[in-house]
Amino acid sequence: MRSDHSRVKLLLAFGAIYFIWGSTFLAIRFAVQTLPPLLTMGTRHLVAGMLLFAWLAWRVRPEPRLWLPTLFAGACCFLGCHGLLAWAEMRVDSGLAALLSSTLPIWMVLLAPLRGQESELNPRVLSGIALGFAGVAVLIPMDFTGPHPEGLRALAILAAEILWAVSAIYARGVKLHTPAPMFAAMQMVSGGVLLWTIGLSMGEGSRLHPQAFTARSLLSLAFLVVFGSLVAFTAYVWLLEVSSPAVVSTHSYVNPLVAVLLGWALAGEAVTWRTALGTAVILGSVALVSVRRDRK
């Protein structure tokens, strides 16, 4: 019975990071249509983090020493990654954003040795990395000038994934004596505070016009708070503890497919030959990078 219960928890957790995270790309795009990007992401993570922290605090004592590590992880993961992603999706299709975000395993493999963590850089993996960069070259719009350069925003998404990889690699090395959900809550609170601080300092407060908010943007923000952060991110942090990073990173196969399908079905995003080719090339590269010979 215990084994069955654990198996169900694993399936639900993987389902969350596969399908919920795949749908968050479209939710972000809808949210930032009428809401400022940094304050949107700040609200998402601050509300979710405070709710989770309050729910856990009455039975789990947070470790004060973890606030400094969570501040760094939150700065990379939420301020850096999600802040850049939300800014980019003001102009970039959600499907393209998801495809570029699926390069995360490549950055994880390249950056892991900097933290002294194992990274298998053999010819197969190096071929996958090269293939991944080729897929990125196919997908990135060659528009780097003008008032709204999509190419620059696409590059920002790649930078966002590098920051997420830095956060994940760093957080993996932090020794915990509290449950993973509490660590996740502390990261979300730290990241939410940073996003609000930077967003207000950049003048996003002057762009808050409630009369201009649409129901779709507000519902998308609510979806991001409840499902994207509370459910999926907590599941992700827990999976990093109970499963191998290579297996957890398989969400990079599923997320872009879910995002491209939803973007096409609900937002009228075009699926061109470049999209199809880039999808095949990048997912092939992720497979080469992620699959390990040792499958104990």
Side-chain angles (χ1 to χ4, degrees), residues 178-198:
T178 57
M182 176 58 80
F183 188 56
M186 295 171 74
Q187 287 185 67
M188 285 190 281
V189 170
S190 298
V193 169
L194 289 171
L195 280 158
W196 262 89
T197 301
I198 301 302

Side-chain angles (χ1 to χ4, degrees), residues 122 124 134 145 173 211 239 264:
N122 56 38
R124 173 180 51 79
T145 59
Q211 67 275 13
L239 284 170
W264 169 76

Side-chain angles (χ1 to χ4, degrees), residues 105-107 109-110 120-135 285-286 288-289:
I106 294 174
W107 306 116
V109 168
L110 288 174
E120 186 182 357
L121 288 174
N122 56 38
R124 173 180 51 79
V125 172
L126 292 173
S127 299
I129 292 171
L131 190 62
F133 289 142
S285 76
V286 171
L288 288 172
V289 168

Side-chain angles (χ1 to χ4, degrees), residues 249-291:
S249 69
T250 56
H251 71 84
S252 297
Y253 301 110
V254 183
N255 290 168
L257 299 178
V258 172
V260 168
L261 179 61
L262 289 177
W264 169 76
L266 302 179
E269 295 179 0
V271 180
T272 65
W273 69 267
R274 285 181 59 189
T275 305
L277 178 60
T279 300
V281 172
I282 285 184
L283 293 188
S285 76
V286 171
L288 288 172
V289 168
S290 299
V291 175

Side-chain angles (χ1 to χ4, degrees), residues 212-275:
F213 299 163
T214 63
R216 183 165 70 173
S217 289
L218 294 174
L219 288 173
S220 296
L221 176 57
F223 176 86
L224 291 169
V225 169
V226 176
F227 295 100
S229 292
L230 269 176
V231 176
F233 184 69
T234 303
Y236 172 76
V237 173
W238 178 73
L239 284 170
L240 284 177
E241 281 205 334
V242 301
S243 185
S244 72
V247 175
V248 176
S249 69
T250 56
H251 71 84
S252 297
Y253 301 110
V254 183
N255 290 168
L257 299 178
V258 172
V260 168
L261 179 61
L262 289 177
W264 169 76
L266 302 179
E269 295 179 0
V271 180
T272 65
W273 69 267
R274 285 181 59 189
T275 305

Side-chain angles (χ1 to χ4, degrees), residues 62-152:
E63 297 178 69
R65 69 173 182 87
L66 290 179
W67 282 114
L68 189 57
T70 56
L71 186 65
F72 177 78
C76 293
C77 189
F78 299 126
L79 173 60
C81 178
H82 283 179
L84 284 172
L85 179 62
W87 173 78
E89 284 206 56
M90 295 176 72
R91 298 292 173 184
V92 173
D93 283 353
S94 61
L96 174 59
L99 287 168
L100 294 175
S101 296
S102 69
T103 58
L104 175 61
I106 294 174
W107 306 116
M108 292 281 286
V109 168
L110 288 174
L111 296 175
L114 299 180
R115 181 77 170 167
Q117 297 177 10
E118 181 183 355
S119 182
E120 186 182 357
L121 288 174
N122 56 38
R124 173 180 51 79
V125 172
L126 292 173
S127 299
I129 292 171
L131 190 62
F133 289 142
V136 167
V138 170
L139 287 171
I140 286 187
M142 293 295 108
D143 173 19
F144 298 100
T145 59
H148 304 294
E150 289 189 17
L152 184 61

